Amino acid sequence: MKNFKISLIILNWNGCNDTLECLNSVQKIHYPNLDIIVADNGSTDSSLELIKKDYPTVSIIENGENLGFAGGNNRAIEHA
């Protein structure tokens, strides 16, 4: 069976606790070709720094500003 590449996108904007909890949960997925992407919409809390420190294998898209739900996700989809 072929393992297709799966990209899981998490949008973050000043959601430190929720995003870290979500990342903790998805790290338990055992799929050999999974790419976890966090799209950060210009957070001003400590979430981006904590994600980089605690989840170094996660791809991070730093949008630099709040692009809204669709804009932030679209950037991550382009990356995927």
Side-chain angles (χ1 to χ4, degrees):
M1 179 178 179
K2 185 174 181 177
N3 292 316
F4 294 97
K5 181 175 181 178
I6 303 293
S7 295
L8 191 151
I9 297 170
I10 301 167
L11 185 64
N12 180 61
W13 181 70
N14 293 329
C16 187
N17 293 334
D18 292 335
T19 301
L20 293 175
E21 185 176 333
C22 183
L23 285 168
N24 185 49
S25 181
V26 299
Q27 290 289 316
K28 297 174 185 173
I29 297 172
H30 298 289
Y31 185 80
N33 205 7
L34 176 67
D35 185 25
I36 300 170
I37 303 167
V38 172
D40 184 76
N41 267 349
S43 293
T44 56
D45 65 356
S46 60
S47 57
L48 195 54
E49 293 79 19
L50 289 172
I51 293 166
K52 288 178 180 179
K53 180 177 80 77
D54 293 346
Y55 299 94
T57 61
V58 169
S59 300
I60 299 174
I61 308 299
E62 294 184 51
N63 292 323
E65 63 180 320
N66 191 343
L67 301 177
F69 182 80
N73 278 302
N74 285 339
R75 288 268 175 95
I77 290 168
E78 290 170 6
H79 173 80

